[in-house]
């Protein structure tokens, strides 16, 4: 259970969550139009063993907390994905005994107007005269309670109810739980709901990205007949991201807020009649919450807020703690609507003086929050008064949506739940970033918008003929739109093999450019990283990347795994290894630890080999990999995430006479302002090969230099001919890929692979083999 941090006179006081508010249940739709559907109707008549006085000693649940014999339980709604569960279930002669445990109802769609009822009493074996239990509406996959109600059980049967409209369309359940070990009986458990809205779709990443368009994708939802797609760009507004509202500009007559013209801060809602003018923490005013349901509510933001705190003072109103029954309730507006974050008993805050209530710790565990409300629940009319001031939170910079189109209708007829749907978008500005969301619709209602999808893109470079061609240099040229941070020009050699060559060298690297005091046994440590980064400064050819590196003189390697970072790994440039049926030879000299396996992993998860270290030290060996392609990369790492060092690597392939080989010879990087780059020290007579170049664009994701996306390669340009492009591009120009986005980052675990874009425009995760 999370805690609210309260600060009083420089001392930290902790108030544990006491209860959560049950949202008001309002039947806004007629039952004729929206009939109630039964989710659960269980009378436990199938539990025949034992009696109420002497329940059976045979557990009804397995070790995982699920019902062992489902045939003894009545059917529940067929949309539920999980059945009854919990802890401490026993049969009690037509009812259920819960002994020192908890109860979970079947998991499913609990959206709309929800009604829950059941009968319960304490067992005769329970010594307490009365015990509190909580009725929770929650989701299995989210750390949040959508509703909570505390009820008191006695030794007499009684009916308990919960009515709310804060449930979700999937993954929801009712839980009966308590902080204490108690024994109680449950019977006649019924859950029904009136579904009054349709579930929002789940928008997924866009594909078929072009400079002037893309295809938006989403998953169909149940009961939708149409989908409404909105595409837009964003224009920042000058609003500050850090908000602290002291309500200093309110229009006040004495201590009364002017009801006709209150002059509330823009977007804020204040349901209170008075302010406090005494000079506590703030000047000139603090909001005085006095009557039942007085509240202060922040504006709704377009982007999720981060953290939330406010200044708080509770006046006792000349009454003791025993007479104070009110609560301070804090609501959070998430994607699906309002939910309760926490409540605090007013009686426990009396005589504490000035407090800062900080709810920021909750935000790491809850879904995205766009609005907050602090409300005084005081139905008994207590004399206590709650003062609120200096409400603070952080919201990412606000923006204005510039719609390309809004609510474009796409038919959903004939689509089943979960089926992929699409909308092609064209005619966009190539220099602008776009976003989209989708709503579902049927004849009765329209859903809330789906999650927003950012269509992050990298502009396509278009290579142009070389200019200023000299005996040992030339200028590479290209055109490109502006969604780019830097370019790389790769010089290549294209050779037609004149005779069969059994071991043509495709890549050879000795890392002699690494200058370091380190050795394999005592390396110079680098920096642990969250992503892969370029190491071209240490190599003779461009395109190398790595993570969490260490160094020795003339060698490079990976550091031992550190929690929260990418394990050490070295990645070769992209290579054309499509000849010889995809079979290539890799000779490598590598240092490793006793008992480790050093892995050489290709793009295909099945294309890998391991080098065993029987003792700590150097091993030089040649391995074969059979499933290589014309866009191959090799990932070099320790299977056990130990430290390793590489001194040398050579990749060869058997070629036949007449085959054309394309090899990267050198690389040049320039920043986004350039559309040309001089390539020097070119040997035009080398190996009777043609000199060519291609251009690739890179872009930092939202300015993060450790999250780099790359464009497809441009066409190949022949420098000798200087006029014509080679006919076939290296890569389908509709494809993009994120070069250094590593799976598993958010969990702080060893990150297992790199996402590679396949020809059909879908991501393929290249994972390390299991240990």
């Amino acid at each position: 259970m999370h805690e609210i941090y309260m600060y009083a006179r420089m001392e930290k006081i902790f108030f544990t969550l006491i209860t959560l508010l049950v949202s008001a249940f309002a039947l806004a739709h007629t039952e004729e139009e929206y009939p109630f559907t039964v989710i659960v109707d269980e009378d436990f008549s199938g539990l025949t063993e034992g009696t109420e006085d002497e329940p059976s000693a045979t557990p009804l649940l397995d070790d995982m907390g699920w019902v062992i014999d489902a045939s003894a339980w009545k059917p529940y709604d067929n949309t539920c994905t999980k059945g009854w569960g919990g802890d401490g279930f026993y049969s009690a002669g037509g009812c259920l005994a819960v002994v020192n445990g908890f109860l979970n109802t079947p998991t499913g769609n609990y959206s709309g107007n929800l009604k829950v009822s059941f009968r319960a009493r304490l067992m005769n074996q329970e010594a307490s005269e009365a015990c509190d239990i909580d009725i929770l509406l929650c989701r299995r996959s989210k750390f949040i309670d959508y509703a909570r109600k505390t009820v008191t059980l006695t030794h007499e049967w009684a009916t308990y109810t919960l009515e709310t409209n804060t449930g979700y369309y999937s993954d929801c359940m009712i839980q009966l739980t308590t902080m204490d070990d108690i024994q109680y009986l449950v019977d006649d458990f019924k859950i029904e709901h009136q579904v009054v809205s349709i579930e929002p779709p789940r928008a997924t990443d866009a594909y078929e990205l072009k400079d002037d368009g893309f295809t938006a994708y989403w998953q169909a939802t149940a009961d939708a007949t149409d989908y409404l797609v909105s595409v837009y760009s964003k224009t920042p507004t000058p609003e500050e991201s850090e908000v602290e509202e002291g309500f200093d500009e309110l229009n006040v007559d004495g201590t009364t807020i002017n009801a006709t013209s209150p002059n509330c801060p823009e977007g804020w809602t204040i349901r209170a009649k008075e302010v406090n003018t005494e000079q506590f923490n703030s000047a000139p005013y603090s909001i005085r919450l006095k009557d039942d349901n007085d509240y202060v509510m922040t504006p709704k933001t377009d982007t999720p807020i981060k953290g939330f705190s406010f200044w708080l003072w509770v006046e006792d109103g000349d009454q003791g703690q025993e007479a104070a029954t009110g609560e301070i309730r804090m609501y959070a507006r998430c994607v699906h609507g309002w939910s309760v974050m926490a409540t605090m008993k007013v009686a426990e805050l009396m005589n504490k003086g000035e407090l800062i209530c900080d709810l920021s710790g909750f935000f790491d565990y809850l879904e995205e929050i766009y609005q907050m409300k602090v409300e005084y629940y005081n139905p008994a009319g207590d004399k206590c008064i709650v003062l609120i001031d200096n409400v603070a939170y952080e919201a990412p910079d606000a923006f204005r949506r510039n719609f390309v189109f809004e609510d474009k209708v796409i038919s959903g007829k004939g689509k089943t739940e979960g089926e992929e749907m699409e909308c092609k978008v064209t005619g966009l500005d190539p220099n602008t970033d776009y976003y989209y969301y989708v709503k579902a619709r049927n004849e009765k209602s329209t859903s809330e918008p789906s999650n927003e999808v950012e269509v992050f893109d990298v502009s396509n470079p278009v290579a142009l003929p070389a200019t200023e061609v000299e005996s040992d240099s030339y200028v590479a040229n290209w055109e490109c739109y502006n969604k780019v941070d830097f370019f790389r020009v790769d010089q290549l050699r294209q050779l037609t093999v004149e005779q069969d060559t059994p071991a043509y060298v495709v890549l050879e690297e000795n890392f002699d450019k690494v200058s370091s005091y380190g050795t394999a046994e005592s390396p110079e440590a680098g920096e642990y990283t969250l992503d892969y980064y370029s190491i071209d400064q240490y190599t003779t050819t461009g395109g190398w990347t790595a993570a969490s590196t260490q160094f020795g003189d003339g060698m490079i390697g990976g550091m031992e795994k550190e929690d929260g970072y990418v394990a050490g790994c070295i990645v070769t440039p992209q290579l054309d290894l499509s000849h010889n049926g995809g079979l290539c030879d890799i000779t490598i000299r590598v240092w490793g630890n006793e008992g480790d396996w050093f892995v050489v992993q290709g793009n295909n998860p099945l294309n890998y080999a391991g080098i065993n270290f029987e003792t700590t030290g150097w091993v030089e060996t040649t391995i074969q990999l059979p499933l290589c392609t014309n866009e191959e990369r090799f990932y070099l790492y320790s299977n056990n995430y130990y430290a390793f060092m590489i001194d040398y690597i050579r990749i060869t392939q058997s070629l036949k006479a007449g085959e054309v080989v394309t090899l990267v010879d050198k690389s040049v990087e320039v920043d986004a302002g350039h559309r040309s780059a001089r390539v020097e020290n070119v040997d035009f007579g080398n190996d009777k090969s043609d000199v060519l170049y291609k251009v690739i664009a890179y872009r930092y994701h939202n300015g993060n230099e450790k999250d780099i996306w790359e464009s497809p390669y441009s066409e190949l340009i022949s420098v000798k001919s200087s006029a014509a492009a080679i006919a076939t591009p290296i890569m389908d120009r509709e494809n993009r890929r994120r070069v250094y986005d590593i799976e598993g980052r958010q969990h702080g675990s060893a990150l297992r692979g790199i996402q590679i874009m396949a020809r059909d425009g879908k991501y393929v995760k290249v994972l390390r083999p299991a240990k």
Side-chain angles (χ1 to χ4, degrees), residues 321-333:
Q321 286 186 322
E322 65 280 356
T325 61
E327 297 176 350
I328 301 171
R329 297 177 167 179
M330 285 146 284
Y331 298 75
R333 183 171 186 171

PDB file of all heavy atoms in Angstrom, residues 321-333:
ATOM      1  N   GLN A 321     -11.156  15.352  18.128  1.00  0.00           N
ATOM      2  CA  GLN A 321     -10.951  14.401  17.035  1.00  0.00           C
ATOM      3  C   GLN A 321     -12.088  13.397  16.922  1.00  0.00           C
ATOM      4  O   GLN A 321     -12.456  12.982  15.826  1.00  0.00           O
ATOM      5  CB  GLN A 321      -9.628  13.657  17.238  1.00  0.00           C
ATOM      6  CG  GLN A 321      -8.398  14.497  16.952  1.00  0.00           C
ATOM      7  CD  GLN A 321      -7.129  13.668  17.037  1.00  0.00           C
ATOM      8  OE1 GLN A 321      -7.030  12.808  17.901  1.00  0.00           O
ATOM      9  NE2 GLN A 321      -6.186  13.928  16.164  1.00  0.00           N
ATOM     10  N   GLU A 322     -12.664  13.028  18.064  1.00  0.00           N
ATOM     11  CA  GLU A 322     -13.717  12.013  18.017  1.00  0.00           C
ATOM     12  C   GLU A 322     -14.952  12.504  17.278  1.00  0.00           C
ATOM     13  O   GLU A 322     -15.756  11.706  16.772  1.00  0.00           O
ATOM     14  CB  GLU A 322     -14.086  11.571  19.437  1.00  0.00           C
ATOM     15  CG  GLU A 322     -14.722  12.648  20.309  1.00  0.00           C
ATOM     16  CD  GLU A 322     -13.715  13.621  20.907  1.00  0.00           C
ATOM     17  OE1 GLU A 322     -12.495  13.405  20.710  1.00  0.00           O
ATOM     18  OE2 GLU A 322     -14.134  14.583  21.575  1.00  0.00           O
ATOM     19  N   ALA A 323     -15.129  13.836  17.190  1.00  0.00           N
ATOM     20  CA  ALA A 323     -16.311  14.388  16.513  1.00  0.00           C
ATOM     21  C   ALA A 323     -16.068  14.642  15.036  1.00  0.00           C
ATOM     22  O   ALA A 323     -16.996  14.968  14.298  1.00  0.00           O
ATOM     23  CB  ALA A 323     -16.748  15.672  17.204  1.00  0.00           C
ATOM     24  N   ALA A 324     -14.808  14.526  14.599  1.00  0.00           N
ATOM     25  CA  ALA A 324     -14.460  14.822  13.206  1.00  0.00           C
ATOM     26  C   ALA A 324     -14.585  13.557  12.372  1.00  0.00           C
ATOM     27  O   ALA A 324     -13.827  12.597  12.565  1.00  0.00           O
ATOM     28  CB  ALA A 324     -13.049  15.387  13.128  1.00  0.00           C
ATOM     29  N   THR A 325     -15.522  13.529  11.460  1.00  0.00           N
ATOM     30  CA  THR A 325     -15.754  12.343  10.619  1.00  0.00           C
ATOM     31  C   THR A 325     -15.474  12.598   9.141  1.00  0.00           C
ATOM     32  O   THR A 325     -15.626  11.699   8.321  1.00  0.00           O
ATOM     33  CB  THR A 325     -17.205  11.870  10.762  1.00  0.00           C
ATOM     34  OG1 THR A 325     -18.090  12.924  10.333  1.00  0.00           O
ATOM     35  CG2 THR A 325     -17.514  11.497  12.203  1.00  0.00           C
ATOM     36  N   GLY A 326     -15.088  13.822   8.786  1.00  0.00           N
ATOM     37  CA  GLY A 326     -14.871  14.158   7.381  1.00  0.00           C
ATOM     38  C   GLY A 326     -13.586  13.562   6.825  1.00  0.00           C
ATOM     39  O   GLY A 326     -12.725  13.066   7.546  1.00  0.00           O
ATOM     40  N   GLU A 327     -13.466  13.643   5.516  1.00  0.00           N
ATOM     41  CA  GLU A 327     -12.299  13.127   4.813  1.00  0.00           C
ATOM     42  C   GLU A 327     -11.877  14.095   3.724  1.00  0.00           C
ATOM     43  O   GLU A 327     -12.708  14.814   3.153  1.00  0.00           O
ATOM     44  CB  GLU A 327     -12.594  11.769   4.169  1.00  0.00           C
ATOM     45  CG  GLU A 327     -12.924  10.659   5.146  1.00  0.00           C
ATOM     46  CD  GLU A 327     -13.293   9.373   4.441  1.00  0.00           C
ATOM     47  OE1 GLU A 327     -13.483   9.400   3.197  1.00  0.00           O
ATOM     48  OE2 GLU A 327     -13.404   8.350   5.120  1.00  0.00           O
ATOM     49  N   ILE A 328     -10.588  14.103   3.429  1.00  0.00           N
ATOM     50  CA  ILE A 328     -10.061  14.802   2.258  1.00  0.00           C
ATOM     51  C   ILE A 328      -9.837  13.749   1.186  1.00  0.00           C
ATOM     52  O   ILE A 328      -9.101  12.779   1.412  1.00  0.00           O
ATOM     53  CB  ILE A 328      -8.748  15.525   2.585  1.00  0.00           C
ATOM     54  CG1 ILE A 328      -8.961  16.523   3.712  1.00  0.00           C
ATOM     55  CG2 ILE A 328      -8.203  16.227   1.347  1.00  0.00           C
ATOM     56  CD1 ILE A 328      -7.674  17.120   4.238  1.00  0.00           C
ATOM     57  N   ARG A 329     -10.471  13.939   0.051  1.00  0.00           N
ATOM     58  CA  ARG A 329     -10.430  12.928  -1.004  1.00  0.00           C
ATOM     59  C   ARG A 329      -9.751  13.505  -2.245  1.00  0.00           C
ATOM     60  O   ARG A 329     -10.053  14.608  -2.664  1.00  0.00           O
ATOM     61  CB  ARG A 329     -11.842  12.462  -1.336  1.00  0.00           C
ATOM     62  CG  ARG A 329     -12.506  11.786  -0.139  1.00  0.00           C
ATOM     63  CD  ARG A 329     -13.921  11.376  -0.429  1.00  0.00           C
ATOM     64  NE  ARG A 329     -14.421  10.473   0.604  1.00  0.00           N
ATOM     65  CZ  ARG A 329     -15.640   9.969   0.612  1.00  0.00           C
ATOM     66  NH1 ARG A 329     -16.486  10.287  -0.342  1.00  0.00           N
ATOM     67  NH2 ARG A 329     -16.017   9.149   1.571  1.00  0.00           N
ATOM     68  N   MET A 330      -8.851  12.725  -2.810  1.00  0.00           N
ATOM     69  CA  MET A 330      -8.076  13.168  -3.963  1.00  0.00           C
ATOM     70  C   MET A 330      -8.383  12.297  -5.166  1.00  0.00           C
ATOM     71  O   MET A 330      -8.192  11.070  -5.114  1.00  0.00           O
ATOM     72  CB  MET A 330      -6.585  13.142  -3.620  1.00  0.00           C
ATOM     73  CG  MET A 330      -6.196  14.295  -2.710  1.00  0.00           C
ATOM     74  SD  MET A 330      -4.885  13.900  -1.537  1.00  0.00           S
ATOM     75  CE  MET A 330      -5.782  12.913  -0.333  1.00  0.00           C
ATOM     76  N   TYR A 331      -8.890  12.916  -6.215  1.00  0.00           N
ATOM     77  CA  TYR A 331      -9.273  12.225  -7.442  1.00  0.00           C
ATOM     78  C   TYR A 331      -8.194  12.438  -8.507  1.00  0.00           C
ATOM     79  O   TYR A 331      -7.567  13.494  -8.570  1.00  0.00           O
ATOM     80  CB  TYR A 331     -10.569  12.780  -8.020  1.00  0.00           C
ATOM     81  CG  TYR A 331     -11.802  12.657  -7.165  1.00  0.00           C
ATOM     82  CD1 TYR A 331     -12.005  13.481  -6.065  1.00  0.00           C
ATOM     83  CD2 TYR A 331     -12.791  11.741  -7.496  1.00  0.00           C
ATOM     84  CE1 TYR A 331     -13.160  13.399  -5.304  1.00  0.00           C
ATOM     85  CE2 TYR A 331     -13.954  11.647  -6.745  1.00  0.00           C
ATOM     86  CZ  TYR A 331     -14.131  12.475  -5.651  1.00  0.00           C
ATOM     87  OH  TYR A 331     -15.274  12.391  -4.907  1.00  0.00           O
ATOM     88  N   ALA A 332      -8.038  11.456  -9.380  1.00  0.00           N
ATOM     89  CA  ALA A 332      -7.158  11.575 -10.540  1.00  0.00           C
ATOM     90  C   ALA A 332      -7.958  11.251 -11.795  1.00  0.00           C
ATOM     91  O   ALA A 332      -8.677  10.249 -11.831  1.00  0.00           O
ATOM     92  CB  ALA A 332      -5.968  10.628 -10.422  1.00  0.00           C
ATOM     93  N   ARG A 333      -7.840  12.096 -12.799  1.00  0.00           N
ATOM     94  CA  ARG A 333      -8.502  11.827 -14.078  1.00  0.00           C
ATOM     95  C   ARG A 333      -7.502  11.147 -15.008  1.00  0.00           C
ATOM     96  O   ARG A 333      -6.515  11.739 -15.435  1.00  0.00           O
ATOM     97  CB  ARG A 333      -8.995  13.118 -14.715  1.00  0.00           C
ATOM     98  CG  ARG A 333      -9.756  12.876 -16.021  1.00  0.00           C
ATOM     99  CD  ARG A 333     -10.434  14.138 -16.528  1.00  0.00           C
ATOM    100  NE  ARG A 333     -11.254  13.878 -17.689  1.00  0.00           N
ATOM    101  CZ  ARG A 333     -12.077  14.768 -18.226  1.00  0.00           C
ATOM    102  NH1 ARG A 333     -12.189  15.975 -17.687  1.00  0.00           N
ATOM    103  NH2 ARG A 333     -12.791  14.461 -19.278  1.00  0.00           N
TER     104      ARG A 333
END
